[in-house]
Amino acid sequence: MDQLKILGIVGIRSGSNGVPDKNIRSLCRKPLIGWILDAARQSKKINRLVVSTDSNDYAEVAVAHGAEVPCLRPPELAQDNSSEIDYVRHMLDWLDQHENYCPDIVVRLMATVPLQTHEDIDTVVEILLDDPVAESAVVIAEARQHPMKALKLVEDGLGNSKLVSYFSGSGREVTPIARQRYEPAYFRANIIACRSSVIDRTNSLTGDTVRYHIIPQERAIDIDNEIDFFLIENLISGNEV
């Protein structure tokens, strides 16, 4: 039996409103993208690693950390509202058309979650390999704030706004409620392994039958602002002591 083609792909567009050049900013003496690329290169399952970017400068950083950049992403797929599935499909189409390369499994990784490990990557791939029913497997972590505690502002009908529960619309449910009363809630920790056939069939990275691998909250921190950089730097520094 031929070896399965397992492609790791990381997307890093050059625009970032919250933190300029976030994806290549130094984090503990390494570009942010270098952390997830290093984890991917240590993976025992991924046998090809590519980066999708719209920037030649970003491409140079990616190549320096062991990834391929076979092509640049078109600008229209690198906007604030661009969909992940679009850049993944662009890369898969390019590899198919120019190299006749079609992976069996695609592992979508993100530069902004630097504390994920090669074991996390390998675990979700193994889940797919062991479960023929599974269409994808996702790394998840328990939500630090339960979504049922979310609030929103609405018009009060008197020319002002008021605070209500995001889900029920009730002001009475703004009152704090013990999280133990809710079923556990999880969020994506941003490693997704899926069969390439699922991408073609459903135009999504997950399909319908989604398995999971749960990791600790601290390994799932997704960098979106300066506070997140501060938290991650302290976690890494603490681990190095």
Side-chain angles (χ1 to χ4, degrees):
M1 180 178 176
D2 294 335
Q3 182 187 36
L4 289 177
K5 301 185 188 74
I6 302 178
L7 176 72
I9 178 170
V10 186
I12 50 167
R13 67 185 186 91
S14 57
S16 175
N17 292 328
V19 181
D21 285 324
K22 173 176 64 177
N23 288 309
I24 60 170
R25 173 169 160 170
S26 178
L27 173 66
C28 293
R29 303 176 300 279
K30 185 189 301 185
L32 180 57
I33 189 177
W35 290 88
I36 196 64
L37 290 181
D38 285 352
R41 289 192 298 108
Q42 294 174 48
S43 165
K44 297 177 182 177
K45 302 298 182 181
I46 289 176
N47 45 41
R48 187 170 186 183
L49 179 61
V50 302
V51 165
S52 169
T53 182
D54 60 319
S55 163
N56 282 307
D57 291 339
Y58 280 30
E60 290 180 6
V61 174
V63 170
H65 283 270
E68 299 177 52
V69 184
C71 61
L72 287 181
R73 190 193 311 184
E76 61 269 22
L77 301 183
Q79 306 302 311
D80 288 344
N81 60 353
S82 295
S83 171
E84 286 190 338
I85 188 65
D86 289 339
Y87 82 70
V88 172
R89 292 200 68 135
H90 169 262
M91 178 62 76
L92 293 178
D93 289 345
W94 194 95
L95 292 173
D96 182 20
Q97 294 170 13
H98 291 81
E99 300 183 12
N100 196 30
Y101 173 87
C102 299
D104 300 288
I105 292 175
V106 176
V107 184
R108 198 280 276 132
L109 307 164
M110 288 188 69
T112 54
V113 192
L115 296 186
Q116 302 204 306
T117 68
H118 66 277
E119 290 93 349
D120 297 330
I121 296 169
D122 289 344
T123 297
V124 288
V125 174
E126 287 168 0
I127 289 171
L128 283 186
L129 297 178
D130 294 340
D131 184 351
V133 174
E135 294 181 306
S136 64
V138 180
V139 178
I140 60 175
E142 188 170 357
R144 286 183 281 171
Q145 280 282 355
H146 199 284
M148 290 301 294
K149 294 186 176 183
L151 308 173
K152 64 180 177 180
L153 300 177
V154 298
E155 296 298 321
D156 67 357
L158 300 172
N160 209 332
S161 58
K162 64 179 181 178
L163 193 63
V164 298
S165 164
Y166 189 90
F167 294 99
S168 72
S170 170
R172 298 182 183 185
E173 294 183 18
V174 173
T175 302
I177 300 174
R179 66 179 297 161
Q180 289 78 8
R181 291 179 55 182
Y182 300 126
E183 290 291 324
Y186 300 90
F187 64 95
R188 282 197 333 267
N190 283 320
I191 295 175
I192 300 174
C194 68
R195 306 184 194 281
S196 58
S197 58
V198 171
I199 297 175
D200 292 334
R201 180 169 52 82
T202 69
N203 195 37
S204 78
L205 291 171
T206 51
D208 298 306
T209 306
V210 186
R211 307 302 189 204
Y212 58 89
H213 167 54
I214 303 173
I215 65 172
Q217 291 176 337
E218 62 270 18
R219 285 223 312 275
I221 296 175
D222 191 337
I223 293 180
D224 190 49
N225 53 43
E226 294 291 347
I227 293 174
D228 296 328
F229 263 106
F230 177 80
L231 289 173
I232 292 286
E233 286 170 348
N234 279 272
L235 283 170
I236 292 173
S237 298
N239 291 335
E240 290 177 346
V241 173

